[in-house]
Amino acid sequence: MDEVEKALYGHVQSRFPFVTGAASHLLDAGGKRFRPLLVLLAAEAGPHPLADEVVTAACVVEITHVGSLYHDDVMDEAALRRGAASANARWDNLVAILTGDFLFAKSSELTATLGPDAVRIQAETFSRLVEGQILETVAPGPDDDPLQHYLEVVAGKTGSLIATSARYGARFGGAPTEVEEALAAYGEIVGSAFQLSDDILDIASDSVESGKTPGTDLREGVPTLPSLMAAASTDPADERLRSLLGRPLTDDAEHAEALALLRAHPAMAQASAYVVDRAAEAKALLTALPPGPVRDALEAFADAVATRSS
């Protein structure tokens, strides 16, 4: 991870200091480096975990992810990211959007060094990521299940890139094809669980713990796992909460009321249990790996995603 961290900064350099500063802004803010860590863990399933291509692939997925955060913050009108001012708050929406584009270009340059098949995988992944982002802006149809629609959004926005992280690690670490496929499927599920747990934390945590403004999705009227589960309740006592959910809450008092009601609702425990079940499903795929420290680490990784507090 130390190698990856150093390499990341080298890969986002521009000829122009302002562009370099803007592109480094969210890297400087930190983050868990969840995706590159999974690349490195998955690479341990093969005979060449220290191959140069593994570190390059780890940089590809993180730079792609960070680029998407610049766009996410514009869409969400977020003021904070990782405890620091978002790029759109520090500069403006135009700088944030174009910086995200610059990072996508840099990740594409890096992917090209990994060969044509990696370029294809990255293109397919990016297509799914953007599809998920678009789908998030479209309400489900009258015959659609809102929860299933939401899960499709999560699979595209988050699961796709984390699946590719696991795939890249296994592939460039030299793992057998069946292990690569199992780890890609594992990554898809763990990635979705990561986003679902993030959405739970958006309700449950304060800004000090999470580094983001609490209830951002709630304020924007963006459906999430706990809000959808609460909205499905038929309990008359939940009538007030149901009336607040699913629409933007621009009024601070209404936002605070909805946040308090949702934090106290059984949907929070229901959502947490769902995420734990998804982690168990991911761990079941790891039977493709022999017992040992690599499998143990990937199981612990899935558990950490499901039960994280920040």
Side-chain angles (χ1 to χ4, degrees):
M1 284 303 295
D2 286 342
E3 282 187 49
V4 171
E5 195 69 24
K6 292 172 186 174
L8 281 171
Y9 282 91
H11 291 313
V12 301
Q13 296 297 306
S14 165
R15 292 178 297 140
F16 305 102
F18 178 82
V19 177
T20 299
S24 303
H25 176 63
L26 289 186
L27 288 178
D28 290 338
K32 297 174 182 62
R33 304 292 191 254
F34 181 91
R35 291 153 188 83
L37 178 59
L38 183 53
V39 173
L40 300 182
L41 278 177
E44 294 286 343
H48 310 298
L50 301 180
D52 291 343
E53 292 85 354
V54 171
V55 173
T56 299
C59 291
V60 164
V61 295
E62 184 66 6
I63 292 171
T64 301
H65 169 60
V66 172
S68 74
L69 297 183
Y70 283 78
H71 289 189
D72 279 351
D73 287 343
V74 171
M75 294 178 69
D76 295 340
E77 299 180 2
L80 286 176
R81 170 66 70 175
R82 296 173 173 172
S86 62
N88 45 299
R90 178 169 176 178
W91 293 289
D92 56 33
N93 285 349
L94 184 60
V95 169
I97 290 168
L98 292 174
T99 302
D101 292 345
F102 174 78
L103 290 170
F104 291 146
K106 285 297 184 182
S107 70
S108 297
E109 286 179 17
L110 266 184
T111 306
T113 69
L114 295 172
D117 207 39
V119 172
R120 175 188 58 78
I121 293 168
Q122 179 73 355
E124 291 172 352
T125 303
F126 194 58
S127 177
R128 285 192 62 203
L129 191 157
V130 176
E131 279 180 343
Q133 192 76 67
I134 294 171
L135 196 62
E136 186 178 39
T137 70
V138 180
D143 297 326
D144 295 334
D145 178 359
L147 180 56
Q148 187 57 43
H149 178 91
Y150 167 71
L151 294 175
E152 290 284 358
V153 168
V154 169
K157 277 186 62 177
T158 307
S160 60
L161 186 58
I162 294 177
T164 294
S165 300
R167 181 182 294 281
Y168 275 166
R171 174 169 296 205
F172 295 114
T177 301
E178 61 271 20
V179 171
E180 177 186 326
E181 294 301 327
L183 288 181
Y186 161 93
E188 177 94 15
I189 297 171
V190 166
S192 293
F194 182 81
Q195 181 60 56
L196 298 175
S197 65
D198 195 54
D199 291 342
I200 293 169
L201 286 172
D202 181 60
I203 301 298
S205 300
D206 60 32
S207 58
V208 173
E209 292 176 295
S210 65
K212 292 182 284 188
T213 305
T216 298
D217 289 330
L218 197 61
R219 184 178 290 279
E220 296 298 318
V222 176
T224 60
L225 185 64
S227 66
L228 285 167
M229 287 178 166
S233 169
T234 57
D235 189 334
D238 295 329
E239 182 178 351
R240 175 57 180 166
L241 177 57
R242 288 194 299 268
S243 73
L244 293 168
L245 295 175
R247 61 179 174 87
L249 298 174
T250 54
D251 180 81
D252 288 344
E254 281 195 335
H255 176 259
E257 181 185 5
L259 192 59
L261 288 171
L262 192 52
R263 282 173 170 169
H265 197 276
M268 293 297 290
Q270 186 183 357
S272 296
Y274 180 88
V275 174
V276 169
D277 287 345
R278 293 292 281 163
E281 185 181 345
K283 289 191 293 183
L285 292 165
L286 296 176
T287 54
L289 279 71
V294 176
R295 183 164 154 184
D296 291 347
L298 289 165
E299 289 180 348
F301 191 73
D303 287 335
V305 165
T307 60
R308 67 197 182 101
S309 59
S310 63

